[in-house]
Amino acid sequence: MNTKLFIFTLIGLFSSNKIDNQPVAIELNKYLGKWYEIARFDHSFERDMQNVTAEYILEPDGNIKVINQGYRDGKFKESIGKAKTTDISGLLRVSFFMNFYSDYRVLMIDNDYQYVLVGGNSPKYLWILSRTPQLNNDILQRIINVAKEKGYDTDKLIFVEQ
C-alpha cells in the first residue's frame, strides 16, 4: 500500500467518530429553568434513571446551579452541580464533582426555547431535553435528524420514561 493511501485509510478510520459539536448561540436567561429529559445516550451516572429533569438556576455570583433529579428503582435521586458560562455562547462548563468540569454544548435549540439537543466534547454524550414531559413525534424526529446530521449514532438513544 502506498503512503498516501495508507494515510487516507487511517484518516477514514478516525474520522468515523467525528461529530459536529459546535454550539449554537443561546440567551442564557431564556435557557434557565426546568427541562425534562426525553432521550439520552447511556452512561453510568444516569443508568436506569426515569422521570429525569434538569433545572438551571442563575446564582448571584453569575454561576449556574444545576439540579438533576430522577428515579432509579423507585428511589428519588438528586445531583446538584454547578455550571459556568464561557466566552462561547451555547458552551457551558458543568461540574458535579469538585472542580472537574465537562463541556455542555447546546447543539440545537428552537426559537421559543421549548426543546434542545445537548452534547458534550465527545460523541459519547447526547441529550434531548424539552420544557414538557413529552415531545410531539414530528419535533422529536426533527431533533434526531439534526443529531444524525451532526454525526451522532442516534441508534444509541435511550428514551426516558416521564
Side-chain angles (χ1 to χ4, degrees):
M1 179 181 284
N2 75 34
T3 305
K4 284 184 183 178
L5 182 57
F6 179 72
I7 290 171
F8 286 123
T9 302
L10 281 177
I11 290 170
L13 288 173
F14 291 111
S15 66
S16 64
N17 286 335
K18 185 95 172 106
I19 54 168
D20 173 7
N21 63 359
Q22 189 66 31
V24 297
I26 63 168
E27 292 181 46
L28 184 60
N29 286 331
K30 286 184 178 182
Y31 194 83
L32 298 172
K34 186 173 188 174
W35 292 91
Y36 293 86
E37 187 174 270
I38 303 300
R40 67 170 179 264
F41 281 177
D42 187 34
H43 40 77
S44 62
F45 52 91
E46 276 190 295
R47 187 159 292 135
D48 299 324
M49 297 280 295
Q50 299 297 332
N51 301 99
V52 178
T53 61
E55 188 168 2
Y56 304 92
I57 303 164
L58 187 61
E59 299 280 54
D61 65 1
N63 285 323
I64 301 160
K65 182 177 186 178
V66 182
I67 304 170
N68 286 350
Q69 299 178 335
Y71 290 86
R72 179 182 288 135
D73 299 324
K75 295 179 183 162
F76 179 75
K77 303 288 181 185
E78 180 178 74
S79 294
I80 298 177
K82 55 190 171 189
K84 300 187 293 190
T85 59
T86 67
D87 291 339
I88 300 170
S89 181
L91 173 61
L92 301 174
R93 302 283 294 153
V94 178
S95 173
F96 285 93
F97 180 70
M98 296 174 50
N99 285 322
F100 297 99
Y101 285 85
S102 296
D103 281 3
Y104 179 102
R105 296 169 175 263
V106 176
L107 304 174
M108 175 238 168
I109 192 161
D110 78 304
N111 292 335
D112 296 324
Y113 286 64
Q114 295 303 300
Y115 51 87
V116 64
L117 178 66
V118 176
N121 59 349
S122 83
K124 295 179 184 180
Y125 300 102
L126 191 69
W127 292 268
I128 297 173
L129 307 176
S130 171
R131 295 292 189 182
T132 58
Q134 279 82 37
L135 268 178
N136 167 300
N137 280 337
D138 290 339
I139 292 171
L140 180 58
Q141 193 56 55
R142 193 174 329 138
I143 299 167
I144 291 169
N145 288 342
V146 168
K148 281 182 188 176
E149 290 168 10
K150 291 183 171 292
Y152 287 90
D153 181 357
T154 57
D155 290 337
K156 293 181 180 179
L157 282 169
I158 297 169
F159 293 88
V160 178
E161 191 177 301
Q162 286 289 352

